[in-house]
Amino acid sequence: MREDIFRDWLHRRGHQDRTIGARISNVRRVEQFIGDLDEALDNEGKESLLSKFAYSTEDERQQRPNPSPVPIDGDLRTGLATLRQAIGLYDDFRNDDFAMPDKIDHMAWVNRLTKAEILAVMDDCDAEGAEAFLKRVGFSKPQQWTKRQDDTQNHSIADPNLYPAKATVATAIAKLPDGPSLNARQYFNGFGEAQSRAKLRELGFEIVDMREGRAASRLTRDDVEKAMLAFDQYEKSGAHSRIFDAFADPSSYWVRSTSRAAERPYPTKPIVGYLLDKTSLNGGWSSGSAAASLHNAGYIIVDAESEPCDVPEHDHLLGDADRIRACARNYFIEPARDAGEKEVPIRASDLAKLMGLTNAFPNICQALEGRTFLEMIETAEPDITGPNPSSTTVFTYQLTDQDARSASPHTPVTGVAEPMAPTNLILYGPPGTGKTYATAAEALGLCGEPVPDNRGEVMAAYDQLRAEKRIEFVTFHQSMSYEDFIEGRQPTTEDDGEGGSGTGFRLETVPGIFRRIASRAESGISVQTGDDAISLSGRQVFKMSIGRANMASEEYLFEEAISEGHVLLGWEDIDFTDDRFSDVDEILQVCHEQGTREGDVTLQSGQVAMLDVFRNQMEIGDIVVATKGNGFFRAIGEVIGNYEYHQRDSRVYSHRRAVRWLWVDREGVPASEIYDGNFTMRSIYPLSPSRLNVATFERYMNSDSDSSQTEMLPFVLIIDEINRANISKVFGELITLIEPDKRTGMPNALKVRLPYSGEEFGVPANLHILGTMNTADRSIALLDTALRRRFEFREMMPEHDIKEMHDAAARCGLDLPRILTSLNERIEYLYDREHQIGHAYFINCTSREDVDAVMRHKVIPLLAEYFFEDWGKVAAVLGDAASHEGPIDGGFMIRIILKAPPGLDDVGDGAPRFRWSLRQDGFSYDGLTGQ
């Protein structure tokens, strides 16, 4: 090992001094047993060498032996993973794939920048154009821009005087005498947004966030009125409290509804916060503020006395004729259309009073009769009465039948767009009709996704939505219970907070599959945009326990960590801040000498291994998942500080590291949302990247950031074989809550208090429920009446004359459509239509032998079950029955007459007894095809 050069390389790559010693120590340990690592890598290659240290979760479960030549005393999988990491880093050093300046140098260059370098880059951008400039310097179009200090105009992204913030600073480094050229991947290793913004502000440049402008420009009348309806529901029932509780009572600005039924104005910040899914907004009339956003959407901002506020003159605010037209449309034209009226008059003085305008009648009249307004509201020229222009001028607009939208997206009273209509649908039919097969395409449609014609593409899109957890699939069975479906109690072993287990167990409330997807649907999907979105790429993810879960006496530890921005670790009241503890052997030695825990102390002992992970292996920029027991996580944070020791009076939990918390939910979310399985009791350990659901994890990380927007996308729960469970027992109070008009956000929304958690629960309107039901398994008439009333039913019967059946017939050389038709006609005659045979049994057959196998192993056993092993009826369906009482050698079945045992010849009714059996050779289908 080239130790000195490797050490320097690690330092330049941004590794902390404490971790460098641990990395080198691990390489030394490898070399003790395999010889020089450079020589080993040259001879065997990286992948071959790493394979000797591979040890999976399955290997751990099977307790397989150590595959490597290096002895591991404690946790085998963790020890080998540490050695693999060290070997990989050393190989990276040899290849020098990352031979770019490290983050420390980047920060030093940024600190040296002056206005001169920034302005020089802006000149380059003006000369090239923003798009060409970004392409040349290797950056994508950002969300955050900057502008020259003397530039006070409002801009769009296409404006040549608006400059990409991060790219401008990164490119300015090259203007320094010894500064390098850095692209987006190299600059702060793909990050650097915060450093760029800070530098620009330090030099006096303004940051322009284009997301605010776009978010505000998306506000429509439908959006705003819907938010006002949600606020009404919040005041009545507490719905949407996550957003609305975050805002205090306003002191300056309210917004006047356009609904004729509205009785009062609404606070501006909660309304815009609800629409943008934000819990904090700028005040005043600044760009992106709540008042400015609503004003630009054509709404009137009023004060506490409901009088129109004075609007300042800012370039980012709608003004003059544009504002007059927007208010006239929102407060006169659209409400009239909602009410189905044929015409609507607007008196100039009424509009002026509504908007708080004085001496503006010429402007009002000019705006109301102009071509721009007529095109905006899509009507012909108005009838004008009274002197024009004056306060008494009346403009009467004729609304056509098509315009008078009695069936508009607004309700006649409130003018609010209908929330997403929930779907409760059951696909039912005999077995083999493709019900389960059809749920994938149906779910895509319910999720608002295009449904491809190709089955492979359908399943690819379906699997993607399942990976994003927008679709869940569950099969009902006789043992399914309320506790499995909604919520229940499960025993959980106590955690002692330091990686071990306590002496007992507790019952923990665990949400079932329905409650989990309902919570996801209610929270929406966080969509990351722009360069500020946090990615897991290049980061380790660590599980951490902060105190013992559900122990009230230690809950203060978690609250302290969240409020003060750090994570805490127990294990020994010893100060490990000295640089020598970057070597795990030093930790071992001091724990042996000063430690208070009983037993032998080894490298695998908790106080050594956990502290090594916490102090040395965890790096700045890594991610921490704070857990709640083994089955839940309740916070995600980014490590932003090195190891610190803060002695406490209790002499426990004295080790800490600073963390920027990205997401917190004190109730906890099931681990399965982000990880393949439950967590273990170890205080801290790295989570396996292969078991992380990266897409979902990143949405949680970015859910509260400015670089994300929350979309209330549709979710689908598929319940296969819905009629096989005890519906009343499984659904419980959901029988009422799943009704479309009882969903949250709907006019008759209801919530119930759940029996185990004690929490209020409602079913969101954007959660669709899709079920399948096999009518041969249980008649539809026997399905719970309450459930039937709340679902739509779509019958799926066998399809004989579809392309897939004809294609299969051509491959097999049999008239499969005719065979299936004959089977089902005879079943319906002898039994009923609910027990027919579906086409799915045959469409994948490629040869006559495949058809024989389907008949022998699937269809005929199903017929025997239908007819309770009355083989005479089975033979009748197959075309092998005969009216005589002699032997039969049929196309499918053979019947022989049984000889009576000796002495019983004259006993009984004299009727012959038969033995039925299937042919052992190939079947003949003449009895089904009519040949």
Side-chain angles (χ1 to χ4, degrees):
M1 173 178 59
R2 291 168 282 172
E3 183 173 322
D4 292 340
I5 304 175
F6 182 41
R7 184 187 300 275
D8 182 64
W9 182 84
L10 287 171
H11 186 269
R12 293 184 61 79
R13 285 280 292 123
H15 291 259
Q16 301 300 312
D17 291 338
R18 298 186 304 276
T19 63
I20 291 174
R23 305 288 185 252
I24 291 176
S25 177
N26 286 330
V27 174
R28 287 184 196 147
R29 181 167 173 77
V30 171
E31 289 190 325
Q32 287 177 5
F33 296 93
I34 69 168
D36 183 69
L37 186 54
D38 285 293
E39 184 176 341
L41 287 168
D42 289 337
N43 294 336
E44 299 185 46
K46 175 184 176 182
E47 297 304 323
S48 175
L49 184 58
L50 288 178
S51 66
K52 294 181 179 180
F53 294 83
Y55 200 77
S56 66
T57 305
E58 180 62 23
D59 293 330
E60 188 175 48
R61 275 197 292 266
Q62 298 295 332
Q63 296 185 340
R64 292 178 179 136
N66 182 359
S68 80
V70 180
I72 303 294
D73 294 331
D75 186 271
L76 185 55
R77 189 159 66 93
T78 301
L80 289 174
T82 302
L83 298 182
R84 281 172 56 88
Q85 183 184 44
I87 295 171
L89 278 171
Y90 191 76
D91 186 70
D92 291 341
F93 153 68
R94 283 161 39 92
N95 296 324
D96 201 23
D97 288 335
F98 303 97
M100 67 179 70
D102 62 83
K103 297 180 182 179
I104 298 174
D105 286 343
H106 291 188
M107 197 66 245
W109 286 323
V110 169
N111 289 336
R112 289 170 55 192
L113 291 176
T114 66
K115 292 180 183 178
E117 289 83 26
I118 299 295
L119 291 173
V121 172
M122 291 179 171
D123 291 339
D124 294 342
C125 189
D126 286 340
E128 300 175 48
E131 185 173 346
F133 169 77
L134 287 168
K135 184 176 180 180
R136 176 177 66 81
V137 299
F139 282 78
S140 59
K141 184 177 290 186
Q143 299 291 337
Q144 294 184 328
W145 300 66
T146 186
K147 53 187 179 182
R148 294 179 188 268
Q149 293 167 292
D150 58 350
D151 187 355
T152 59
Q153 298 179 358
N154 190 39
H155 297 282
S156 68
I157 291 180
D159 196 311
N161 293 320
L162 202 59
Y163 309 93
K166 179 179 172 181
T168 297
V169 176
T171 309
I173 291 175
K175 301 288 185 181
L176 296 171
D178 56 345
S181 296
L182 300 173
N183 59 29
R185 185 182 68 86
Q186 295 167 331
Y187 182 58
F188 282 92
N189 292 340
F191 298 95
E193 292 82 4
Q195 294 88 342
S196 301
R197 292 194 301 267
K199 186 62 182 181
L200 289 168
R201 289 189 176 114
E202 175 191 326
L203 296 176
F205 294 93
E206 181 183 348
I207 301 298
V208 179
D209 194 330
M210 301 308 297
R211 290 168 302 192
E212 294 180 355
R214 283 200 294 271
S217 68
R218 282 200 301 270
L219 297 189
T220 66
R221 177 174 177 261
D222 285 353
D223 292 332
V224 176
E225 298 297 334
K226 179 179 178 181
M228 292 174 175
L229 177 63
F231 189 82
D232 289 336
Q233 293 170 341
Y234 162 71
E235 291 191 319
K236 292 177 181 177
S237 66
H240 318 292
S241 58
R242 181 177 68 86
I243 294 292
F244 293 134
D245 278 351
F247 295 97
D249 292 336
S251 58
S252 302
Y253 301 117
W254 287 257
V255 58
R256 185 178 290 161
S257 171
T258 64
S259 169
R260 294 175 177 176
E263 299 178 354
R264 50 77 190 265
Y266 293 83
T268 56
K269 286 186 178 180
I271 298 302
V272 178
Y274 175 83
L275 294 174
L276 302 184
D277 195 44
K278 290 188 174 183
T279 54
S280 64
L281 290 166
N282 294 335
W285 291 92
S286 62
S287 178
S289 68
S293 300
L294 291 165
H295 172 93
N296 290 339
Y299 275 80
I300 297 170
I301 308 302
V302 298
D303 59 20
E305 304 299 325
S306 199
E307 294 296 324
C309 294
D310 293 332
V311 181
E313 294 185 5
H314 291 315
D315 290 332
H316 66 268
L317 294 177
L318 200 66
D320 300 330
D322 289 333
R323 182 177 176 236
I324 292 170
R325 287 189 284 262
C327 291
R329 178 186 61 185
N330 280 357
Y331 288 90
F332 290 90
I333 302 297
E334 296 304 323
R337 280 178 167 150
D338 293 340
E341 297 172 357
K342 300 294 185 181
E343 64 179 28
V344 53
I346 303 178
R347 182 185 296 271
S349 59
D350 291 342
L351 181 56
K353 182 179 180 181
L354 190 72
M355 297 177 63
L357 301 178
T358 56
N359 300 321
F361 301 119
N363 291 341
I364 292 175
C365 293
Q366 184 177 5
L368 293 182
E369 66 181 325
R371 177 60 51 190
T372 301
F373 185 60
L374 299 180
E375 291 176 353
M376 174 189 291
I377 63 175
E378 298 178 342
T379 64
E381 293 184 0
D383 295 329
I384 303 175
T385 57
N388 185 15
S390 77
S391 62
T392 59
T393 309
V394 177
F395 301 83
T396 303
Y397 302 88
Q398 301 300 317
L399 304 178
T400 64
D401 291 338
Q402 182 177 0
D403 287 332
R405 297 172 294 180
S406 58
S408 73
H410 304 281
T411 59
V413 176
T414 65
V416 179
E418 290 289 340
M420 184 180 299
T423 297
N424 298 331
L425 173 65
I426 290 179
L427 307 178
Y428 72 98
T433 52
K435 299 179 294 298
T436 305
Y437 182 89
T439 56
E442 192 72 35
L444 287 183
L446 290 173
C447 283
E449 302 291 332
V451 182
D453 295 330
N454 180 274
R455 177 63 182 178
E457 294 177 3
V458 168
M459 292 311 300
Y462 172 82
D463 290 339
Q464 177 63 32
L465 290 178
R466 284 201 69 186
E468 295 175 3
K469 295 191 176 293
R470 288 181 57 197
I471 296 176
E472 289 283 3
F473 185 96
V474 62
T475 300
F476 273 11
H477 48 81
Q478 288 88 341
S479 298
M480 178 68 73
S481 67
Y482 177 93
E483 287 75 14
D484 298 319
F485 194 57
I486 310 299
E487 70 171 16
R489 293 277 177 84
Q490 291 182 6
T492 301
T493 306
E494 295 286 1
D495 182 353
D496 69 0
E498 294 189 342
S501 60
T503 57
F505 69 89
R506 53 187 160 76
L507 291 176
E508 188 173 82
T509 301
V510 176
I513 187 171
F514 188 89
R515 190 178 169 200
R516 291 199 300 269
I517 192 171
S519 297
R520 252 179 268 140
E522 187 173 32
S523 300
I525 287 288
S526 177
V527 180
Q528 289 78 51
T529 59
D531 294 332
D532 291 339
I534 304 172
S535 168
L536 279 183
S537 177
R539 303 173 188 257
Q540 299 179 91
V541 180
F542 291 87
K543 173 266 182 187
M544 275 210 70
S545 302
I546 304 178
R548 285 175 287 186
N550 294 327
M551 292 288 289
S553 61
E554 295 190 0
E555 189 63 25
Y556 76 95
L557 293 169
F558 177 76
E559 294 300 331
E560 174 193 311
I562 297 302
S563 63
E564 297 184 9
H566 57 242
V567 285
L568 297 166
L569 184 72
W571 298 104
E572 300 292 9
D573 184 31
I574 300 173
D575 185 353
F576 292 99
T577 54
D578 193 281
D579 285 345
R580 67 189 177 93
F581 293 113
S582 60
D583 188 338
V584 68
D585 291 329
E586 294 290 336
I587 297 177
L588 172 62
Q589 181 178 342
V590 77
C591 285
H592 181 75
E593 295 172 351
Q594 303 177 29
T596 59
R597 301 182 72 88
E598 296 180 358
D600 294 336
V601 182
T602 69
L603 288 173
Q604 283 68 46
S605 298
Q607 63 268 47
V608 179
M610 304 296 175
L611 282 163
D612 180 49
V613 173
F614 187 74
R615 186 193 186 284
N616 299 327
Q617 297 181 30
M618 182 188 290
E619 299 185 1
I620 292 177
D622 287 342
I623 301 299
V624 173
V625 178
T627 59
K628 185 178 183 181
N630 295 339
F632 293 82
F633 66 100
R634 52 181 172 176
I636 297 175
E638 179 187 19
V639 179
I640 60 173
N642 297 321
Y643 168 86
E644 298 176 10
Y645 175 78
H646 292 262
Q647 190 175 68
R648 310 168 73 95
D649 293 340
S650 61
R651 300 283 180 166
V652 293
Y653 293 97
S654 300
H655 314 291
R656 67 172 60 180
R657 294 189 68 161
V659 164
R660 177 170 67 99
W661 292 110
L662 305 172
W663 170 89
V664 178
D665 182 343
R666 287 169 173 78
E667 295 301 319
V669 173
S672 58
E673 291 289 296
I674 60 169
Y675 198 61
D676 178 19
N678 282 346
F679 305 115
T680 71
M681 288 185 177
R682 282 177 288 172
S683 301
I684 179 172
Y685 63 92
L687 296 176
S688 170
S690 63
R691 299 181 65 187
L692 280 172
N693 185 326
V694 175
T696 304
F697 196 103
E698 289 183 344
R699 285 201 296 271
Y700 275 105
M701 287 200 306
N702 289 282
S703 59
D704 292 334
S705 73
D706 291 336
S707 61
S708 70
Q709 299 170 357
T710 297
E711 298 183 20
M712 302 308 292
L713 298 177
F715 288 71
V716 176
L717 174 63
I718 300 173
I719 306 175
D720 200 26
E721 305 286 359
I722 191 172
N723 57 322
R724 298 192 69 229
N726 184 329
I727 298 299
S728 298
K729 175 184 175 184
V730 172
F731 271 77
E733 56 274 275
L734 254 67
I735 290 292
T736 298
L737 299 186
I738 63 174
E739 288 189 56
D741 69 320
K742 304 296 191 302
R743 304 287 191 96
T744 58
M746 303 302 281
N748 299 315
L750 290 178
K751 286 189 175 184
V752 298
R753 191 168 298 280
L754 297 176
Y756 292 106
S757 65
E759 297 176 5
E760 283 202 336
F761 177 72
V763 180
N766 58 328
L767 174 58
H768 305 293
I769 304 174
L770 177 60
T772 70
M773 188 171 69
N774 183 347
T775 55
D777 182 62
R778 180 182 296 175
S779 170
I780 186 173
L782 299 179
L783 192 65
D784 189 290
T785 303
L787 186 72
R788 292 185 63 198
R789 184 171 66 81
R790 290 166 170 87
F791 275 82
E792 300 176 24
F793 287 81
R794 182 186 303 166
E795 188 176 52
M796 294 187 67
M797 297 300 289
E799 298 185 67
H800 314 88
D801 197 29
I802 58 175
K803 180 180 181 299
E804 289 84 352
M805 284 293 290
H806 289 287
D807 291 344
R811 294 192 299 266
C812 301
L814 290 169
D815 188 355
L816 292 179
R818 179 58 190 161
I819 291 172
L820 186 59
T821 300
S822 298
L823 285 171
N824 286 330
E825 287 177 348
R826 295 168 186 175
I827 292 172
E828 188 171 357
Y829 179 85
L830 293 170
Y831 200 164
D832 60 32
R833 68 189 298 273
E834 309 297 343
H835 287 74
Q836 297 181 49
I837 304 297
H839 52 273
Y841 285 105
F842 298 97
I843 58 177
N844 292 321
C845 293
T846 59
S847 65
R848 187 184 182 111
E849 288 74 19
D850 287 348
V851 180
D852 285 352
V854 168
M855 293 296 295
R856 184 182 303 276
H857 301 300
K858 296 182 179 179
V859 175
I860 294 176
L862 190 60
L863 294 174
E865 181 182 336
Y866 285 175
F867 296 109
F868 301 95
E869 297 190 0
D870 183 341
W871 292 99
K873 289 184 178 179
V874 174
V877 172
L878 297 172
D880 287 344
S883 58
H884 61 77
E885 295 185 346
I888 295 176
D889 187 8
F892 294 91
M893 305 189 69
I894 298 173
R895 185 178 77 178
I896 63 174
I897 301 175
L898 295 175
K899 184 179 180 181
L904 296 178
D905 295 353
D906 298 328
V907 178
D909 56 8
R913 305 290 179 90
F914 304 112
R915 174 191 295 145
W916 291 92
S917 61
L918 291 179
R919 301 188 68 90
Q920 295 304 307
D921 53 358
F923 295 143
S924 170
Y925 294 85
D926 292 347
L928 292 171
T929 58
Q931 297 178 358

